Amino acid sequence: MPVSIEDVAKLAKVSISTVSRVINRRELVNEQTRARVESAIQELGYRPNAFARGLMLRRSEIVALVLPDLHGEFYLEIIRGANLKARALGYNLVVSSFNGSDDGGSLLYALEQRALLDGLAVMISDAGAHIGPALAASRLPFVVLDDEIEGPAHDSVIINQACGAATLMRHLLTNCGVRRVIFVGGPATNTDTQARLTSCREVLKAAGLALPSSSVYHLDYLYETAYVLASKHLPEWRGRDACIVAANDEMAAGIVAAANSLGVEIPNDIAVVGFDDTRIARMTRPPLTTVRVPTSAMGASAIEILCQRIAEPQRPPTRISLDPELVVRESCGGNRSEKR
Amino acid sequence: MPVSIEDVAKLAKVSISTVSRVINRRELVNEQTRARVESAIQELGYRPNAFARGLMLRRSEIVALVLPDLHGEFYLEIIRGANLKARALGYNLVVSSFNGSDDGGSLLYALEQRALLDGLAVMISDAGAHIGPALAASRLPFVVLDDEIEGPAHDSVIINQACGAATLMRHLLTNCGVRRVIFVGGPATNTDTQARLTSCREVLKAAGLALPSSSVYHLDYLYETAYVLASKHLPEWRGRDACIVAANDEMAAGIVAAANSLGVEIPNDIAVVGFDDTRIARMTRPPLTTVRVPTSAMGASAIEILCQRIAEPQRPPTRISLDPELVVRESCGGNRSEKR
DNA sequence: TTGAAAGCGCTAACAG
DNA sequence: CTGTTAGCGCTTTCAA
């Protein structure tokens, strides 16, 4: 028993256009008529049919945020930031995630095909995902988070991984006496891991130090595997001038735990640092020095420029770059004060 | 330059009805005509307009999962389970979350109003949220996760908190020599916290023990506040027969950390247990005994019965109850083996 | 097997 | 200020 605009019109004894006006441009309607219409709407519990509306208006006021398979809590802040911004701009946000198993293309395909969306913010964290082409082929306004995709120019919000990793490395070299780095990354195809590794290498190189590939490990971003790896290698890794750089906090936490159970003291016997500044970073003993990615801001920025593009499709592509912030805690020696 | 069904018809030299038939009921169309139409669709990159389609079909093949403000990683598994099930059933899933700040009603309102959804799975974890009435008032098929709402009968998937908490308590009483409990919950209005507390009380009472309200604390589910609370009270709490029951793992982790830094040994000086079996539960020293909620199954079940209702609106309400599982680790003494 | 035509519920000119 | 009317793009009888 769906109640339509016509039912309202009938009850209020006006034409459907008047009802439509009351809904969309109240100021054009006589006060008394408006009151009549509004009470009719109330009485009937009328809600405009979104499909019909969308058909005319050619927009749904819905934007989507598509994230890769969620590992850890890293994404929650992005969602939160995006959510807030979307609502502030009068859009509804829907969040989808695609599992690592499918290539992501299928989800995008489904979303596009049903194209109920006004726009799309996609995060691609694995260079292997075949999302780029599908996205570029669609006519949907989109913005890419934390990555670049091939093809034509587009809006993007990126984290300046190089800056974050470099800041971290410089801190380690300058304030913590680090001369030797073990890098524990996520999958080798993961773009964040790649960027962080590259940047570490560069800073080390600039300081006349090397990061041989024998000191680089690629895991899966998880605590357990990092724990296992560290349990095995810590005896050979340890050293006052050594530092384990994990590509996320969770792995760093696993490494710290391994060290604790082996009696390896952090940061005295070896330093450990992470990335992301998730809650976990404060839950290790000692707490982790890490690099805070402005996740919430990232989500918000993405939605913001997406909505700008929707409003003005011809504007030149925007590229927002956000700098991470170094968060110094006690897992790396040196300066002990936590930046606030 | 949106290409419509008419463009395709023109290019293929058929009527729009034929194009429509090719898309929806290919078997009714002559093979050769079909081929012509299909290549025209290809050539033009035609995609049916979802609004027009929805207008006729009265469905979008989209269902939504709405979660409260996300604290911790607890929800990710729900999303994952729901996602998989939805795709398997031919639906697209969108996930929304509402922040604690708004009452949730506004999000629901927006979703309903725009009613592009075929159905809704909502999780309500705070009895204070005014979602129930709004939901019941809508004509949208819906299923409620992990809670009951007032009003007419409806589908729901609930976690049998009583069962989980009772199993935990019985283990503590029987195998760990616990005689005294300190309960550290989330907000007093949180229904999970309420259910867990109630159930703890009952089991204690059945054993002739009491849980006075002076031993019940209501925090915010966060590590830090639990850490602070425990740091202050552990000296008075401690005792071989005492156990701190935290309503989630994160708070339990905070309590464990506080104990570690005070030199209070777990489980010898006092036991600590959590709820949810999130990753954090394995990241404390010692690892946490906790109650695993079948989160992924919960998401999947919710979507499943939602889609059943969409297909068959008149079916009687279903209520699925999922039992949590006790996960015994080392934070509570007694049986040391981890259940697998 | 195909086409013509009637809407689905709504918005937006265009008259009055 | 309000009503009439023409679509938006699609599916679906109903005839041919």
Side-chain angles (χ1 to χ4, degrees):
Chain A
M1 39 140 111
V3 24
S4 82
I5 196 172
E6 201 168 340
D7 303 319
V8 177
K10 214 162 285 176
L11 180 60
K13 300 197 189 310
V14 294
S15 74
I16 59 168
S17 0
T18 301
V19 178
S20 175
R21 278 190 208 101
V22 170
I23 293 167
N24 301 294
R25 312 160 59 161
R26 349 175 0 109
E27 70 280 4
L28 298 185
V29 179
N30 176 307
E31 176 139 4
Q32 301 177 17
T33 331
R34 189 204 307 169
R36 253 196 359 266
V37 172
E38 277 171 342
S39 73
I41 290 179
Q42 279 300 316
E43 190 174 332
L44 266 38
Y46 166 71
R47 300 239 176 279
N49 177 307
F51 294 111
R53 206 153 195 269
L55 188 52
M56 283 304 298
L57 265 32
R58 324 197 74 72
R59 60 202 166 76
S60 61
E61 274 148 0
I62 296 181
V63 293
L65 174 62
V66 179
L67 302 172
D69 189 30
L70 320 164
H71 42 73
E73 55 184 297
F74 174 70
Y75 297 95
L76 297 183
E77 279 298 316
I78 298 180
I79 296 176
R80 193 173 283 148
N83 223 357
L84 252 44
K85 179 59 81 177
R87 312 269 302 267
L89 295 175
Y91 280 84
N92 289 115
L93 179 76
V94 299
V95 182
S96 287
S97 74
F98 49 89
N99 283 75
S101 52
D102 76 62
D103 66 355
S106 60
L107 174 71
L108 283 172
Y109 176 81
L111 287 173
E112 281 165 39
Q113 168 157 303
R114 299 271 163 261
L116 294 165
L117 304 172
D118 290 345
L120 198 56
V122 204
M123 178 151 181
I124 307 171
S125 66
D126 196 309
H130 313 297
I131 291 181
L135 241 194
S138 94
R139 285 142 188 73
L140 211 53
F142 70 96
V143 40
V144 177
L145 276 78
D146 199 19
D147 198 8
E148 290 297 325
I149 63 169
E150 61 279 27
H154 56 272
D155 297 314
S156 55
V157 176
I158 65 147
I159 300 297
N160 193 338
Q161 298 291 354
C163 162
T167 307
L168 171 65
M169 291 307 299
R170 276 192 292 269
H171 173 75
L172 293 175
L173 296 176
T174 309
N175 303 327
C176 311
V178 168
R179 306 271 90 193
R180 183 163 56 88
V181 164
I182 294 96
F183 185 89
V184 180
T189 53
N190 181 283
T191 52
D192 282 356
T193 286
Q194 289 169 359
R196 288 163 184 180
L197 174 57
T198 303
S199 187
C200 282
R201 272 225 167 85
E202 280 167 7
V203 174
L204 285 170
K205 195 171 174 186
L209 300 168
L211 177 51
S213 56
S214 60
S215 297
V216 173
Y217 300 82
H218 285 290
L219 304 180
D220 51 8
Y221 278 128
L222 298 182
Y223 180 94
E224 283 85 357
T225 43
Y227 185 98
V228 170
L229 182 79
S231 298
K232 182 173 167 198
H233 291 290
L234 265 171
E236 76 196 58
W237 287 346
R238 65 187 293 179
R240 286 197 63 88
D241 65 345
C243 179
I244 303 170
V245 176
N248 74 348
D249 290 335
E250 187 170 327
M251 291 192 296
I255 293 164
V256 168
N260 287 341
S261 62
L262 289 175
V264 173
E265 275 191 26
I266 294 171
N268 290 334
D269 295 337
I270 189 167
V272 178
V273 298
F275 271 89
D276 297 345
D277 195 31
T278 54
R279 303 195 61 72
I280 295 172
R282 290 195 197 78
M283 299 187 192
T284 60
R285 304 284 109 181
L288 291 173
T289 286
T290 184
V291 175
R292 179 185 304 155
V293 172
T295 38
S296 173
M298 187 159 97
S301 300
I303 296 304
E304 185 162 22
I305 67 178
L306 177 59
C307 292
Q308 284 174 3
R309 172 149 312 283
I310 291 169
E312 194 189 337
Q314 301 306 335
R315 73 205 304 274
T318 311
R319 177 196 168 95
I320 295 183
S321 172
L322 300 172
D323 287 342
E325 180 191 359
L326 178 64
V327 179
V328 178
R329 298 207 182 86
E330 289 126 59
S331 69
C332 67
N335 178 359
R336 305 253 156 175
S337 72
E338 172 164 349
K339 216 165 148 187
R340 287 233 130 238
Chain B
M1 39 138 110
V3 23
S4 80
I5 196 171
E6 202 169 340
D7 304 319
V8 177
K10 213 162 285 175
L11 180 61
K13 301 199 189 312
V14 293
S15 74
I16 59 168
S17 355
T18 301
V19 178
S20 174
R21 279 191 207 99
V22 169
I23 293 168
N24 301 295
R25 311 159 58 164
R26 349 173 3 108
E27 69 281 4
L28 297 185
V29 178
N30 176 308
E31 179 140 1
Q32 301 178 19
T33 332
R34 189 203 306 171
R36 249 189 12 258
V37 172
E38 276 170 344
S39 73
I41 288 179
Q42 279 300 316
E43 192 174 331
L44 266 38
Y46 167 71
R47 299 240 175 280
N49 177 307
F51 293 111
R53 205 152 196 269
L55 188 53
M56 285 303 299
L57 265 33
R58 327 194 74 75
R59 60 201 167 76
S60 60
E61 274 148 2
I62 295 180
V63 292
L65 174 63
V66 179
L67 302 172
D69 189 29
L70 320 166
H71 41 73
E73 54 184 299
F74 174 70
Y75 297 95
L76 296 183
E77 279 299 316
I78 298 180
I79 296 176
R80 192 174 283 148
N83 223 356
L84 253 45
K85 179 59 80 179
R87 311 267 303 267
L89 296 175
Y91 281 83
N92 290 114
L93 180 75
V94 299
V95 182
S96 288
S97 74
F98 48 89
N99 283 75
S101 53
D102 77 59
D103 66 355
S106 61
L107 174 70
L108 283 172
Y109 177 82
L111 287 173
E112 282 166 36
Q113 168 157 303
R114 299 274 163 257
L116 293 165
L117 305 171
D118 290 347
L120 198 57
V122 205
M123 177 152 181
I124 307 172
S125 66
D126 195 310
H130 313 298
I131 291 181
L135 243 192
S138 93
R139 285 143 188 72
L140 210 55
F142 70 96
V143 39
V144 177
L145 276 78
D146 198 20
D147 198 10
E148 291 298 326
I149 62 169
E150 60 279 27
H154 56 272
D155 296 315
S156 55
V157 176
I158 66 149
I159 300 298
N160 193 339
Q161 297 292 352
C163 163
T167 306
L168 172 65
M169 289 308 297
R170 276 192 291 268
H171 173 76
L172 293 176
L173 295 177
T174 309
N175 303 328
C176 310
V178 168
R179 306 270 89 192
R180 185 160 55 88
V181 165
I182 293 95
F183 185 90
V184 179
T189 52
N190 182 283
T191 53
D192 282 357
T193 286
Q194 289 169 359
R196 288 163 183 180
L197 174 56
T198 303
S199 187
C200 281
R201 271 225 169 86
E202 280 167 6
V203 175
L204 284 171
K205 193 169 174 188
L209 300 168
L211 178 50
S213 57
S214 60
S215 296
V216 174
Y217 299 82
H218 285 290
L219 304 180
D220 50 9
Y221 278 126
L222 299 182
Y223 181 94
E224 284 85 357
T225 43
Y227 185 98
V228 169
L229 182 78
S231 298
K232 182 172 166 197
H233 291 289
L234 266 171
E236 75 196 60
W237 288 345
R238 66 187 293 179
R240 286 196 63 87
D241 65 345
C243 179
I244 303 171
V245 176
N248 74 346
D249 290 337
E250 186 170 328
M251 291 192 295
I255 293 165
V256 169
N260 287 342
S261 63
L262 288 175
V264 173
E265 275 191 26
I266 295 171
N268 291 334
D269 295 337
I270 190 167
V272 179
V273 297
F275 270 89
D276 296 346
D277 194 31
T278 54
R279 303 196 59 73
I280 294 172
R282 291 195 198 77
M283 298 188 193
T284 60
R285 305 283 108 179
L288 291 173
T289 288
T290 183
V291 175
R292 179 186 303 155
V293 173
T295 38
S296 174
M298 188 160 99
S301 301
I303 298 303
E304 186 161 21
I305 65 177
L306 176 60
C307 292
Q308 284 174 3
R309 172 150 311 282
I310 292 170
E312 194 189 337
Q314 300 307 333
R315 73 203 305 272
T318 311
R319 177 196 167 96
I320 295 182
S321 173
L322 301 172
D323 286 341
E325 180 190 358
L326 178 64
V327 178
V328 178
R329 298 208 182 86
E330 290 125 59
S331 69
C332 64
N335 179 359
R336 306 254 154 174
S337 70
E338 172 164 347
K339 213 164 151 186
R340 287 233 130 237

